[in-house]
Amino acid sequence: QKEVEQDPGPLSVPEGAIVSLNCTYSNSAFQYFMWYRQYSRKGPELLMYTYSSGNKEDGRFTAQVDKSSKYISLFIRDSQPSDSATYLCAMKPGAGSYQLTFGKGTKLSVIP
Amino acid sequence: GAVVSQHPSRVICKSGTSVKIECRSLDFQATTMFWYRQFPKQSLMLMATSNEGSKATYEQGVEKDKFLINHASLTLSTLTVTSAHPEDSSFYICSASTTGGVQPQHFGDGTRLSIL
């Protein structure tokens, strides 16, 4: 079993839809969780950074962490064509650890 | 804030050439920088971690003599692909983080390297 599992998609939704992206993980040592957005031929851009279980909201984006189930989610409300990109989840153990473990990424297309 | 600039964005060169890629943190001091490689439709593969003023730590399977990393200042790290061959063609991405590891990594826009 891989440390981080993420459905690669592709996922196509109509403009305005609510998008749900998910990752599961097996290493209970992971404490910090991130979502990155990567446009084609660009580097990943940090969207959300969370530590504890629960929800964190930033504009149209909500990150959800459930450590008991080892499951994290990113919700995008009122999706826009400009949200079309690959979304990568990433996680790491404690604060002193730099190394990230990435999911494979989910490719999202928002259709106008 | 937290801007990482990577240069060049695209390189096309002949086999046997050495190629240098620069990674700069523009508005923060990056005590630790990372170099990744990404194949098409794949996630990022960590190649090495470098701390300012120290030798880089390479991941298993990454040739340190092939991929030379220098992190001479708190804002600049370079990756040199020596005597590049077609199999070295890939998308190389750097990232940077500040002291303590609590802060997330911020990524550059990547360098697409094509070796003919």
Side-chain angles (χ1 to χ4, degrees):
Chain A
Q1 182 188 9
K2 293 181 180 176
E3 276 198 299
V4 179
E5 299 273 4
Q6 184 177 10
D7 187 339
L11 178 63
S12 289
V13 301
E15 183 175 354
I18 296 175
V19 176
S20 173
L21 303 167
N22 312 294
C23 288
T24 58
Y25 61 96
S26 57
N27 189 347
S28 58
F30 289 138
Q31 298 293 322
Y32 292 84
F33 305 91
M34 287 136 275
W35 285 95
Y36 288 89
R37 176 175 63 194
Q38 187 176 22
Y39 291 113
S40 181
R41 299 174 186 263
K42 292 289 186 181
E45 172 194 6
L46 180 68
L47 287 177
M48 301 291 279
Y49 180 54
T50 56
Y51 167 67
S52 57
S53 283
N55 294 351
K56 181 178 180 180
E57 190 173 316
D58 185 359
R60 295 185 295 111
F61 299 92
T62 299
Q64 193 173 77
V65 174
D66 182 348
K67 288 184 180 178
S68 62
S69 301
K70 298 190 180 67
Y71 188 88
I72 67 170
S73 300
L74 178 71
F75 298 96
I76 307 173
R77 289 184 299 282
D78 187 25
S79 56
Q80 303 295 309
S82 58
D83 295 328
S84 299
T86 296
Y87 290 80
L88 297 156
C89 66
M91 46 199 80
K92 64 177 183 173
S97 171
Y98 290 99
Q99 190 162 337
L100 296 179
T101 301
F102 285 91
K104 279 199 165 184
T106 300
K107 185 169 184 178
L108 171 68
S109 294
V110 180
I111 312 301
Chain B
V3 178
V4 175
S5 173
Q6 191 172 338
H7 179 81
S9 58
R10 183 85 164 98
V11 180
I12 303 172
C13 57
K14 293 181 180 179
S15 184
T17 307
S18 291
V19 178
K20 180 186 278 190
I21 303 169
E22 290 189 350
C23 180
R24 294 180 184 272
S25 57
L26 298 186
D27 54 0
F28 67 101
Q29 292 188 328
T31 49
T32 305
M33 286 187 167
F34 307 84
W35 288 95
Y36 293 85
R37 187 171 178 175
Q38 188 176 32
F39 294 101
K41 299 185 180 181
Q42 296 292 318
S43 192
L44 287 78
M45 182 187 78
L46 180 66
M47 298 175 65
T49 302
S50 73
N51 292 296
E52 185 262 339
S54 303
K55 287 186 178 180
T57 301
Y58 290 81
E59 295 300 301
Q60 193 172 10
V62 178
E63 299 176 59
K64 59 180 69 175
D65 295 331
K66 176 74 168 176
F67 299 100
L68 301 179
I69 292 171
N70 183 279
H71 190 167
S73 77
L74 286 171
T75 59
L76 174 65
S77 177
T78 60
L79 167 68
T80 301
V81 184
T82 61
S83 187
H85 292 284
E87 59 266 26
D88 298 323
S89 298
S90 191
F91 192 50
Y92 293 88
I93 310 175
C94 72
S95 72
S97 183
T98 56
T99 309
V102 175
Q103 297 304 316
Q105 292 179 29
H106 296 277
F107 288 82
D109 266 346
T111 297
R112 187 161 301 279
L113 176 62
S114 298
I115 308 298
L116 305 178

